Amino acid sequence: MADNMSEDLKSGALVYHRLPKPGKLEIQATKPLGNQRDLALAYSPGVAAACMAIHDDPQEAATLTIRQNLVAVLTNGTAVLGLGDIGPLAAKPVMEGKAVLFKKFAGIDVFDVEVAEHDVARLVDVVCALEPTFGGINLEDIKAPECFEVEEQCRARMNIPVFHDDQHGTAIIVAAAVLNGLELAGKALADARIVTSGAGAAAIACLNILVSLGARRENITVTDIKGVVYAGRTELMDRWKSVYAQETQARTLAEVIPGADVFIGLSAGGVLKPEYLETMADKPLIMALANPYPEIMPDLAQAKRPDAMICTGRSDFPNQVNNVLCFPYIFRGALDVGATSINEAMKIAAVKAIAALARETPSDVVARAYGGEARPFGPNSLIPSPFDPRLILRIAPAVAKAAMESGVAGRPVPDIEAYAESLDRFVHRSGFVMKPLFTKAKENPKRVIYAEGEDERVLRAAQVVVEEGVARPILVGRPRVVEVRLKRFGLSLRMGQDFDLIDPEDDPRYRAYVQTYLEVAGRRGITPEAARTLVRTNSTVIGALAVRRGEADALVCGLEGRFETRLRIIRDVIGLAPGVGECAAMSLIVTKKGAFFLADTHVRQDPTAAEIADVAVACAEHVTRFGLTPKIALLSHSDFGQSDSASARKMRSALELIAARAPELQVDGEMQADTALVELVRDRVLPGSRLKGAANVLVFPNLDAANIAFQFAKVLADALPVGPLLIGPARPAHILTPSVTARGIVNVTAAAVVEAQSCQALPELGSA
């Protein structure tokens, strides 16, 4: 593999691994170690309490240590990728890479373990001796047939999951592709003729799981480097391969390929000749999985058999069989129920979950990963993309449920549906924070109009909004453009059934919209000619008018253009809520340490004390919709009177105003950011603060400070932004930023719907 790598890729890979520090992993403490008491709790003498609790009840290891979320990725380096027996030390970068994938896709911690041992019995002893450390073992890159022996013996001796990913990970994905390929071809697995090229660990595992799913052994023919595996053959045979030996006079792949429905290649590049394809059955499924060169290149196969469905192990072709599709999520499900093994029922559950996901509407995350072109289910999309964020939501619960039903779950979850929902934290970091809003939005969905209705992100967001029952989308866009893009992106939305549309070029409401615009903005510089032009050309004006006229309940806009321009339109057309003198913007950032609401990040440049009080009280109302108790910190460069600067005095005055208006709120200031976020620091400065715990609403003295903090948090804290959420319009209207994702639009939609639900008591705005 290394010999085939370009010099650019090779040098880039070396730099990637060297800088800024060697390797791809590090270990971080999850508990504070800031003082002597922390040390006493973490180590001596406090750690003895944890030790004895585990001694008395070994199950306590799952609650007192990392073990329940720790997996060993273990190899002896005898079959490393396409590099062969390069030894355990040279295999370490691969194992570190596998560890990164576990963490990235499923939040599982990993120690990579490289063992210098070829003897099967001694290697098994090493692996089994590690059981107290780990919640699961992922065997990797151990050559066949030794890998079969190692896994078999370890599974028999150990009480934690042992999973050889090269075997079972590949097999699970191959099986999902076979199920979907045969479905598209109109064939039954029990009747399908299957031929393999290769009889190593992965190939045998593929066949084993297909048999478990219903394939018949008499319909399976195996070939390897010595030809057909036939009854009576002795050369390069073992007990796992012998299971598939056939009574046949055929001795070569060319002799057994005629009539085959499925070809599974896990051997070497070029072994499946183009002319072989001519004799295969109709709509054959060709799984050419050798890397980097498959058994046949997809373009050659397609040229010879246009009706063929083709999978490879390469990312530059459709239908990539990539083990990352399953192994993180199988372990996630197994670890979360304390499974003692990963059995056949759990593997089959994973197969069916992957196959079913491929038939769902493509995800917006997948589309971004592939340059905006996500393929709907079909011959070029038999299995999901490795980037599909829904994999964990489908596979882990299926595996966990199968573990419980098959009796290997040591810690069954009481509610599998609640468990599945909890996994959303790995998909969208906003999941838990946004959950109350989504739940409430679904109770009474509202009509949300999207000004940029032709934008791909809006279309993908609308698909999710419809599927989740959050809102009724209204798109501002040209019908022909919307229809073409829905088809291109593989979305299943139907105009008039799933969403409504306002065509800016030809809508029967045009004259009424112009009249309404003149009535509400005619005294704000909008002439009749300007009104006629803007109602044809400005989608934000159209969306705002729809809300003003009661034809939509909320507006989402801002994916293009200037924030200030859209804000002016909202103020002029929708207007401000009673008692509100100016809008404000609250932005949510979700970090590893929690959710924080920042204000005002986009509107008021240098608010007065009264305006800051208004913003703080309004933010508190919005935060309660998230199911959170607002804890407000009025931020400054100063702590509680330490400075007499104008900004410090302003925040002090704001505190007095808030206390008079809303004495029930937890709010304090002026204070520095660390004082707001760390109660220990705050107690040193002001032990009697009315604010308890960490603040979750941060109100800044001016726009510069708020926006800079917001941008810093997004980048440096790897925070997920939600919003900005506009506070103050008479009806919900939110101006997003050009960097927003489809999921970001969905999040703001849920917030807008809940806000619209609370607006029902307000008098109708009417047409003017």
Side-chain angles (χ1 to χ4, degrees), residues 675-722:
T675 308
L677 298 174
V678 183
E679 187 172 29
L680 184 64
V681 173
R682 188 165 60 251
D683 285 345
R684 293 197 201 106
V685 179
L686 188 71
S689 172
R690 70 188 74 182
L691 183 63
K692 304 303 178 185
N696 56 14
V697 180
L698 308 178
V699 182
F700 293 81
N702 57 51
L703 179 61
D704 287 343
N707 195 269
I708 290 169
F710 177 50
Q711 304 300 339
F712 257 99
K714 286 196 298 182
V715 177
L716 298 185
D718 190 27
L720 176 73
V722 177

Side-chain angles (χ1 to χ4, degrees), residues 334-366:
L335 294 174
D336 287 343
V337 296
T340 56
S341 68
I342 295 175
N343 59 25
E344 200 70 9
M346 295 159 74
K347 289 184 282 186
I348 289 175
V351 170
K352 293 181 178 179
I354 293 170
L357 178 57
R359 304 184 194 116
E360 295 186 28
T361 300
S363 159
D364 68 288
V365 177
V366 177

Side-chain angles (χ1 to χ4, degrees), residues 36-48:
Q36 185 59 42
R37 177 169 174 78
D38 290 343
L39 292 175
L41 293 171
Y43 195 53
S44 180
V47 72

Side-chain angles (χ1 to χ4, degrees), residues 478-518:
R478 296 161 292 179
R480 63 184 182 279
V481 175
V482 171
E483 290 286 7
V484 167
R485 293 184 178 180
L486 287 173
K487 185 174 181 180
R488 180 194 307 167
F489 303 138
L491 303 176
S492 60
L493 289 174
R494 291 156 296 181
M495 191 182 306
Q497 184 168 338
D498 299 315
F499 68 94
D500 300 312
L501 186 135
I502 295 178
D503 180 1
E505 295 180 346
D506 183 22
D507 194 280
R509 294 164 288 189
Y510 171 70
R511 292 182 182 276
Y513 273 42
V514 170
Q515 182 61 33
T516 301
Y517 197 21
L518 286 172

Side-chain angles (χ1 to χ4, degrees), residues 530-550:
R532 286 190 289 270
T533 300
L534 289 170
V535 173
R536 286 281 192 215
T537 61
N538 192 310
S539 60
T540 302
V541 168
I542 296 170
L545 287 168
V547 173
R548 175 79 195 202
R549 291 169 54 84

Side-chain angles (χ1 to χ4, degrees), residues 332 336 392-393 396-397 413 415-429 431-432 435:
R332 181 75 277 157
D336 287 343
I392 193 169
L393 302 180
V413 295
D415 186 337
I416 195 69
E417 292 185 5
Y419 167 66
E421 289 184 8
S422 75
L423 295 170
D424 195 60
R425 69 191 187 275
F426 296 112
V427 180
H428 310 295
R429 287 171 293 173
F432 285 152
K435 184 173 175 56

Side-chain angles (χ1 to χ4, degrees), residues 1-234:
M1 180 180 287
D3 293 340
N4 298 317
M5 193 184 303
S6 69
E7 286 302 317
D8 177 67
L9 183 59
K10 187 184 296 184
S11 62
L14 293 175
V15 170
Y16 175 87
H17 282 79
R18 285 193 177 112
L19 300 175
K21 61 173 67 174
K24 299 188 284 284
L25 300 173
E26 67 179 4
I27 295 175
Q28 292 185 337
T30 60
K31 299 296 191 296
L33 293 169
N35 52 46
Q36 185 59 42
R37 177 169 174 78
D38 290 343
L39 292 175
L41 293 171
Y43 195 53
S44 180
V47 72
C51 292
M52 292 311 299
I54 295 171
H55 178 268
D56 296 338
D57 180 5
Q59 288 295 324
E60 286 292 339
T63 66
L64 295 171
T65 74
I66 193 179
R67 185 175 185 261
Q68 68 167 352
N69 197 56
L70 185 63
V71 166
V73 174
L74 187 147
T75 188
N76 65 355
T78 53
V80 181
L81 295 178
L83 304 174
D85 188 354
I86 61 173
L89 183 60
K92 189 172 180 65
V94 179
M95 301 307 112
E96 285 189 0
K98 194 70 176 282
V100 170
L101 297 177
F102 265 109
K103 187 68 173 181
K104 169 70 176 177
F105 289 102
I108 294 172
D109 296 304
V110 166
F111 290 159
D112 61 290
V113 180
E114 293 77 31
V115 181
E117 183 57 70
H118 282 64
D119 181 78
V120 168
R122 292 171 64 181
L123 180 58
V124 168
D125 286 342
V126 170
V127 176
C128 293
L130 296 173
E131 183 169 352
T133 302
F134 297 101
I137 305 288
N138 185 99
L139 300 175
E140 191 79 15
D141 293 349
I142 301 172
K143 72 181 181 72
E146 287 88 339
C147 61
F148 294 111
E149 290 282 4
V150 172
E151 186 191 40
E152 188 175 272
Q153 293 184 35
C154 288
R155 289 185 61 178
R157 290 172 55 180
M158 301 179 78
N159 205 37
I160 58 174
V162 179
F163 185 83
H164 186 214
D165 184 48
D166 298 319
Q167 293 181 59
H168 308 300
T170 301
I172 286 166
I173 303 161
V174 165
V178 169
L179 291 182
N180 281 345
L182 292 176
E183 178 178 311
L184 287 175
K187 301 174 183 178
L189 180 58
D191 300 327
R193 279 205 59 233
I194 301 169
V195 173
T196 76
S197 175
I204 298 300
C206 289
L207 297 178
N208 288 345
I209 200 164
L210 287 172
V211 169
S212 295
L213 287 163
R216 294 187 293 177
R217 280 192 172 86
E218 58 266 31
N219 289 341
I220 297 171
T221 305
V222 175
T223 70
D224 61 10
I225 195 170
K226 294 300 181 180
V228 173
V229 174
Y230 59 88
R233 194 181 108 173
T234 58

